[in-house]
Amino acid sequence: MIRSTAWPAGATEVDVAAVADAARRTGPAPADRLALARSLGSTTPPLSAGTAGRAFVTLAAVAATDVALARTVEPHLDALGILAQAGVPVPEGSTWGVFAAEAPGMRLAATPSGTDDAVLLDGTKPWCSLASSLSHALVTAHVGDDRQLFAVDLRQAGVTPHDEAWVARGMPDVPSGPVDFAAVTAHAVGGPGWYLTRPGFAWGGIGVAACWWGGAVGLARVLREHAAARPDSELLQVALGAVVADLADAEDALADAAAQIDGRAAAGIDGDATDWSLVAQTVRSRVRRAVDAVRTRTVAALGPAPLTSDQAVAARVADLELYVLQDHGDRDLARIGRTVVQRGGVAW
């Protein structure tokens, strides 16, 4: 699976075959998928400077087998990394999500509870994946004009997930509807603004892109099987050649970012002048563009038959199409452009 020579050493230490085998043996139920998330969380070091390559390749290996499974594993591993950075202990056997999205008309507010560092959460949080199956989550909430991260036990009274709002055809069994909070106790993880401004926020965004790449690798394997079965089909050969190039571009983007992150640890760098937001968004946009090209070209080359007769292929295409929409396309490209105009950040 790993082709780029830019990957840091930690990435090549991942037993990709073992991760893929564990993913293949995982059932489709949320409890089964979360069990794998806990297992990987106990063996994969939290994402940090020095472990990025390993984390990205692990996520990609899961996604290459099952995109929806990666969508379950990634936020759990992300949460463990965030908690480790904040020095917050993780309850044994817990499963985690990260709910940080905002949406018009929805607002989650945190107010002091009067007990130690606890707050009370009130309001609605959108896009809360697997909230009805998780034990805990990290959620961002408004504290005055700031946003702050809080750890919350989702098994409390006052937590109401709305799985019924999830009608997606992609990842239908990873419901990501809104959650209502009514006087729910939570505890601060870092100070106001810490979650969004730390380098790890950008690194976690690259981890999501690693899942996109892995999902596209799995789809490319389907195309390769069809091309091998029909060696006289020049159409399939052209499509496969283009897909190989697209996947190489995406992998190079991820490998370069992992090497840059892990290189900070090798160099003993304490400070950080890197614009990680720009790095992460550039990587995500490059990977999104490649993954969209792989999906479009593969579907066009194979025609409708696999999408109508092969459940695994149909699910992968739908899951991947929805997953990459976490990138906002032209809006995120505009963010890159604004950043370059305002702050520079590119050598040319």
Side-chain angles (χ1 to χ4, degrees), residues 96-292:
W96 291 79
V98 181
F99 307 154
E102 301 288 336
M106 295 185 185
R107 180 182 174 89
L108 185 64
T111 57
S113 69
T115 304
D116 299 327
D117 65 340
V119 299
L120 296 178
L121 299 178
D122 288 279
T124 301
K125 197 67 177 171
W127 304 107
C128 299
S129 298
L130 292 170
S132 60
S133 300
L134 298 168
S135 66
H136 293 74
L138 296 175
V139 302
T140 53
H142 292 267
V143 181
D145 295 331
D146 294 317
R147 289 172 65 195
Q148 189 169 353
L149 190 68
F150 298 91
V152 58
D153 188 330
L154 295 172
R155 298 166 294 186
Q156 299 178 65
V159 178
T160 307
H162 289 283
D163 289 353
E164 74 282 358
W166 187 249
V167 298
R169 295 299 180 264
M171 290 186 278
D173 49 358
V174 187
S176 301
V179 174
D180 295 330
F181 293 85
V184 174
T185 301
H187 297 272
V189 177
W194 173 80
Y195 168 69
L196 297 172
T197 57
R198 66 196 171 86
F201 178 75
W203 302 346
I206 299 172
V208 173
C211 294
W212 302 340
W213 171 59
V217 168
L219 190 57
R221 289 171 178 168
V222 175
L223 178 61
R224 183 178 62 189
E225 291 172 1
H226 281 258
R230 297 171 56 191
D232 295 332
S233 173
E234 187 173 359
L235 173 64
L236 290 176
Q237 292 171 1
V238 169
L240 184 58
V243 162
V244 168
D246 288 330
L247 289 177
D249 288 344
E251 183 183 4
D252 283 345
L254 291 164
D256 287 344
Q260 189 174 356
I261 295 167
D262 287 352
R264 296 174 66 247
I269 298 174
D270 295 324
D272 199 339
T274 303
D275 188 340
W276 289 111
S277 176
L278 177 60
V279 171
Q281 188 54 66
T282 302
V283 171
R284 284 166 63 91
S285 294
R286 290 176 66 187
V287 174
R288 160 73 187 276
R289 182 163 52 192
V291 171
D292 281 345

